[in-house]
Amino acid sequence: MSMPTRTSLALSLSLALAAPLSLRAAPPEANAQAAPDVARLAPVVVTATKQSAAEQVTPASVTVIDGLAVEREGLDSLYDVAYRSPNVYFTSFTQNTPSITIRGLGFSDDESDSTSTSALIDGVPMTVTTLGQLFDVQQIEVLRGPQSTLYGQNSMGGLVAVRTRDPGFEFGGNAQVEYATGNRRRETAGLDIPLSDRTAIRIAGGADNADGYVKNDALDRDNTGGWRSRFGRIKFLHVDDAGGEWRLGVHGVNTKGGNDFFTTRSLADDHHSANGDAGQNDLSYTLVTGSYDRQLANGNRLAVNLGGSRVDWDYWLPESVFGGVSGFNASTEQYSGEARLSHTPDGDAGLDWMGGVYASKIRRDSPYTFGMADVFSSVTSARIKGSTAAIFGELGWRFNPQWRVAGALRVERDERRMDWRSTQSAGSYSAVETLRSKTHDTVLLPRLTLEYRPDAQQFAWATLARGYKASGFNQYATDSASAAQAYQPEYGNYAELGYRLQGVDETWNVSAVGFYTKLRDQQVVTIGSGGQSLTTNAGRSHNLGMELSGTWRPVRSVDLTAFVGLVKAVYDDYSTGGVDYSGQQFPNTPRQSYGVTAAWRFAPGWEAGLAVRHQGSSNLYPTTTVKNDAYTLLDAQLSYRVDRHWTVGVYGKNLTDRVYYTRALNDLVVAGTGRVVGVRVGLDF
């Protein structure tokens, strides 16, 4: 959107901050029926729905959080997920509409109609902002690096894939209530209703209400940054006579809230504001998902995903922020379909293959209004219609039991059309501009992977791939020159090396991944001297770094986990507006992040946890000259399982009340959430 207008809940306690990928994949049905195991390190599993067989490992840098951890630790937003993933950083200008950067890519995704990082719910693409309210989740995958074949939608920087909880075939359910600082009240519940031994539905939903963490001194109110959210889901599962799994889901979220977040540093440091009104930040979406997954004869497998969504976002800053009306009522509709057929040979050698098709259509309506009464008015609107069609496939050869080589190719066609209109007025001056712009790309995205698995405890891989981000338009451009100038497509040559090692007794494991991406024509949004949103492409840039993670159980009652993320993401050749950015780190991209967590089951039913998470310093988007100093968050929790059904617990987040920022604009900043304490009560029945 046009700046100057564009402008977390603190993290739940982590008991499993970033457990590394297990060496063996687990089938979806195993994940659905999994239960806590206090005798072994809880594995982080990889879904096999996109792979040829349950035993196949994933040669990629990935963090996977299973549904038990999501539920136990209260991971209810993308912020929680980002803090558990090395080289993943969240950024936000409101409390419940997050975006993320992965290895430095994605910092300006909310400006362009083409994005670096993708979000999927049950395999269907959504905007990342919809992940501000997670609920009833079975598994979350955070994949880093270019993605062209694992999921239908291509993604240059990486993606977050959320798989919601499947219905169970036994009647039962769960419920949880929570009360915390900021007058936060969250209630969730889910119910499994079996209709037969092959058919079941699950109904889940809840409410999340809070006054927020901002005290408005001018209005003498403490709820101008609050929110009221309602969410629900109905999911249907049927297993047919041939073993095929049919899933249909209807998902909905409706959140209404204030928008009192941008303020001066001195006020933000105390979570205070002096704005003259609360503003508005309302987000709602409806999502329909459907899938069919079936194991065929002779090692073949068929998987189909279909879905559609509509997202409405009403965003209006307090008028006192810029001395006038500033905001929009935007909407996005997207429909997608994907089908793939794969083959896995019997035994330890032979050829495996996968082939698939993907298609999507999207429409974005992006109006923007900025005006000062009797002085100036600017009303722009951009309707963007886009389509994507792709075919992709992979051929793998396990030429001996320890080695496999795989080549993949994606052929993609992207088209975009924007109808743009602007009405500008100042005093007696008035002007109306309209234009229509089109762009299209056809690209080939190859990928080559070499895998080595000498035994069940070790797995190594090397990958070379080409990444791509489609050309597109700056949907919040405020002048015709910027609106007519489409982004050039962005390309990246990518290399990755990875290694995982697990102890024979499964009491420890480690993972290490190194990566390098050489980027050409990186898409960048800059802010002009008049506050207008401008479209540019950086000539050359790159990211380089590594991710380390590990877990260790020294005794049966203690779990230790840790991760480290290191990334250098800089412009190599980029100048705009008379400023040379060469050598500068991308905004919202800390050079280092790490986390350490300890969980201790010190008595029957009791569990205590302590987590430390650190983010290095970075410059904040979109200003890029405002520095966010390095900060460390300390969380803790204590819980007790009363019997088989009841669990009670207390928790604290950011216990040291560390001040940090999530966005900046000129001399205004958005502060992250301060100290939060709360209590949870859960029931399983």
Side-chain angles (χ1 to χ4, degrees):
M1 60 161 274
S2 171
M3 296 294 181
T5 67
R6 293 294 293 272
T7 34
S8 115
L9 294 177
L11 300 174
S12 299
L13 175 78
S14 171
L15 293 180
L17 184 60
L21 187 68
S22 68
L23 294 180
R24 293 182 181 269
E29 59 271 20
N31 298 339
Q33 302 300 325
D37 183 353
V38 298
R40 295 167 45 181
L41 282 176
V44 175
V45 296
V46 176
T47 175
T49 57
K50 298 292 183 180
Q51 299 178 351
S52 301
E55 292 299 313
Q56 187 176 6
V57 296
T58 298
S61 180
V62 58
T63 299
V64 182
I65 305 172
D66 67 32
L68 295 174
V70 171
E71 182 176 310
R72 180 178 64 241
E73 300 162 31
L75 311 187
D76 48 43
S77 83
L78 187 60
Y79 312 119
D80 304 321
V81 176
Y83 269 117
R84 285 156 175 77
S85 309
N87 286 331
V88 179
Y89 180 72
F90 80 88
T91 169
S92 67
F93 44 89
T94 70
Q95 196 71 36
N96 53 22
T97 50
S99 60
I100 61 172
T101 61
I102 298 179
R103 297 171 173 174
L105 302 180
F107 57 82
S108 60
D109 276 1
D110 47 22
E111 298 286 331
S112 171
D113 72 305
S114 182
T115 58
S116 296
T117 58
S118 298
L120 301 99
I121 299 178
D122 286 347
V124 176
M126 295 285 287
T127 62
V128 174
T129 55
T130 60
L131 298 185
Q133 195 66 258
L134 296 172
F135 63 99
D136 210 44
V137 169
Q138 183 165 309
Q139 181 172 281
I140 301 174
E141 300 178 26
V142 181
L143 288 136
R144 293 172 282 269
Q147 305 300 320
S148 58
T149 59
L150 189 60
Y151 285 92
Q153 177 163 295
N154 173 66
S155 187
M156 176 70 173
L159 61 83
V160 179
V162 177
R163 187 151 58 92
T164 64
R165 190 165 173 177
D166 276 339
F169 289 95
E170 294 183 3
F171 183 85
N174 60 285
Q176 181 172 278
V177 295
E178 175 181 340
Y179 184 80
T181 308
N183 195 26
R184 187 184 184 194
R185 296 92 63 203
R186 181 178 171 92
E187 304 91 24
T188 60
L191 179 65
D192 293 323
I193 305 175
L195 304 180
S196 72
D197 59 350
R198 292 179 177 270
T199 306
I201 62 173
R202 180 170 177 82
I203 302 173
D208 192 352
N209 302 281
D211 292 342
Y213 309 105
V214 175
K215 169 64 176 177
N216 188 299
D217 300 324
L219 301 175
D220 193 26
R221 290 172 53 186
D222 58 7
N223 62 353
T224 54
W227 63 92
R228 302 173 307 283
S229 184
R230 304 293 182 268
F231 42 88
R233 176 180 298 119
I234 299 177
K235 193 170 183 181
F236 169 89
L237 171 62
H238 172 69
V239 181
D240 61 30
D241 293 339
E245 298 177 356
W246 299 81
R247 289 175 174 85
L248 177 65
V250 180
H251 322 245
V253 170
N254 190 327
T255 298
K256 298 182 181 299
N259 201 8
D260 191 10
F261 299 107
F262 272 109
T263 187
T264 63
R265 278 180 178 260
S266 58
L267 289 174
D269 288 353
D270 294 325
H271 294 93
H272 279 229
S273 166
N275 287 314
D277 62 277
Q280 180 183 2
N281 180 48
D282 299 346
L283 180 78
S284 64
Y285 73 79
T286 300
L287 167 69
V288 177
T289 61
S291 68
Y292 179 65
D293 193 349
R294 178 181 170 185
Q295 184 69 47
L296 306 175
N298 302 319
N300 298 324
R301 190 180 190 92
L302 174 66
V304 179
N305 267 306
L306 301 171
S309 64
R310 178 182 173 92
V311 180
D312 293 291
W313 188 11
D314 301 335
Y315 176 90
W316 296 91
L317 282 173
E319 293 189 18
S320 57
V321 172
F322 296 113
V325 177
S326 178
F328 57 82
N329 296 324
S331 65
T332 302
E333 292 184 6
Q334 185 169 4
Y335 306 93
S336 65
E338 172 195 355
R340 63 177 69 212
L341 183 66
S342 59
H343 170 76
T344 303
D346 294 330
D348 295 329
L351 296 176
D352 59 85
W353 54 263
M354 178 275 295
V357 295
Y358 172 80
S360 71
K361 280 188 172 294
I362 189 169
R363 190 190 77 178
R364 301 181 189 273
D365 287 310
S366 304
Y368 166 57
T369 299
F370 179 74
M372 293 175 284
D374 302 323
V375 178
F376 173 76
S377 175
S378 171
V379 179
T380 62
S381 63
R383 169 167 288 187
I384 299 174
K385 295 182 178 180
S387 63
T388 298
I391 58 174
F392 52 88
E394 181 180 85
L395 178 62
W397 178 31
R398 190 169 297 280
F399 49 90
N400 76 31
Q402 297 181 347
W403 291 90
R404 176 180 180 266
V405 62
L409 178 65
R410 181 186 182 94
V411 183
E412 180 167 316
R413 169 77 175 186
D414 289 288
E415 297 182 355
R416 291 286 192 277
R417 188 189 79 184
M418 182 175 72
D419 294 309
W420 181 86
R421 178 183 176 88
S422 171
T423 302
Q424 309 277 339
S425 61
S428 60
Y429 167 80
S430 180
V432 178
E433 296 180 283
T434 62
L435 62 87
R436 171 173 289 184
S437 299
K438 295 182 179 181
T439 183
H440 59 82
D441 313 312
T442 302
V443 296
L444 303 179
L445 303 176
R447 189 180 192 95
L448 179 66
T449 301
L450 179 65
E451 303 174 15
Y452 175 59
R453 190 176 187 184
D455 51 50
Q457 279 68 52
Q458 299 182 76
F459 178 64
W461 73 94
T463 296
L464 298 175
R466 190 186 195 206
Y468 153 77
K469 181 179 179 181
S471 58
F473 297 99
N474 185 337
Q475 58 187 331
Y476 294 102
T478 54
D479 62 84
S480 58
S482 299
Q485 180 185 356
Y487 289 106
Q488 296 298 312
E490 175 183 324
Y491 296 99
N493 294 325
Y494 179 72
E496 179 178 290
L497 290 173
Y499 176 72
R500 300 188 184 105
L501 176 63
Q502 177 177 271
V504 176
D505 56 1
E506 298 186 353
T507 60
W508 62 271
N509 46 41
V510 294
S511 175
V513 176
F515 62 89
Y516 173 77
T517 313
K518 184 177 182 181
L519 298 162
R520 175 167 62 86
D521 293 330
Q522 182 183 2
Q523 298 176 12
V524 182
V525 170
T526 61
I527 307 303
S529 58
Q532 68 273 33
S533 185
L534 305 177
T535 304
T536 60
N537 284 83
R540 291 183 294 107
S541 51
H542 76 274
N543 66 18
L544 169 70
M546 65 186 307
E547 288 113 19
L548 306 172
S549 60
T551 67
W552 180 39
R553 172 167 289 161
V555 295
R556 290 173 58 89
S557 61
V558 176
D559 290 341
L560 303 175
T561 69
F563 76 77
V564 176
L566 304 172
V567 61
K568 179 182 180 182
V570 299
Y571 302 111
D572 299 316
D573 180 13
Y574 175 45
S575 298
T576 185
V579 179
D580 186 359
Y581 291 93
S582 300
Q584 179 173 306
Q585 183 90 346
F586 299 165
N588 290 342
T589 308
R591 287 182 178 266
Q592 67 279 332
S593 59
Y594 62 77
V596 179
T597 299
W600 180 29
R601 295 170 295 279
F602 56 89
W606 288 92
E607 192 171 67
L610 189 70
V612 177
R613 305 181 189 91
H614 176 84
Q615 294 280 356
S617 63
S618 64
N619 290 331
L620 290 171
Y621 174 81
T623 303
T624 73
T625 56
V626 175
K627 185 178 181 180
N628 193 29
D629 292 333
Y631 62 92
T632 301
L633 301 181
L634 174 65
D635 298 346
Q637 75 97 30
L638 178 67
S639 65
Y640 176 62
R641 190 164 184 85
V642 180
D643 53 28
R644 293 180 55 196
H645 303 288
W646 291 93
T647 302
V648 296
V650 294
Y651 64 90
K653 311 170 186 179
N654 190 10
L655 287 173
T656 60
D657 203 22
R658 184 69 169 86
V659 174
Y660 62 98
Y661 309 117
T662 61
R663 283 271 177 138
L665 185 61
N666 300 328
D667 58 346
L668 303 177
V669 296
V670 175
T673 305
R675 182 187 297 113
V676 174
V677 295
V679 59
R680 294 192 187 102
V681 178
L683 170 65
D684 296 315
F685 58 91

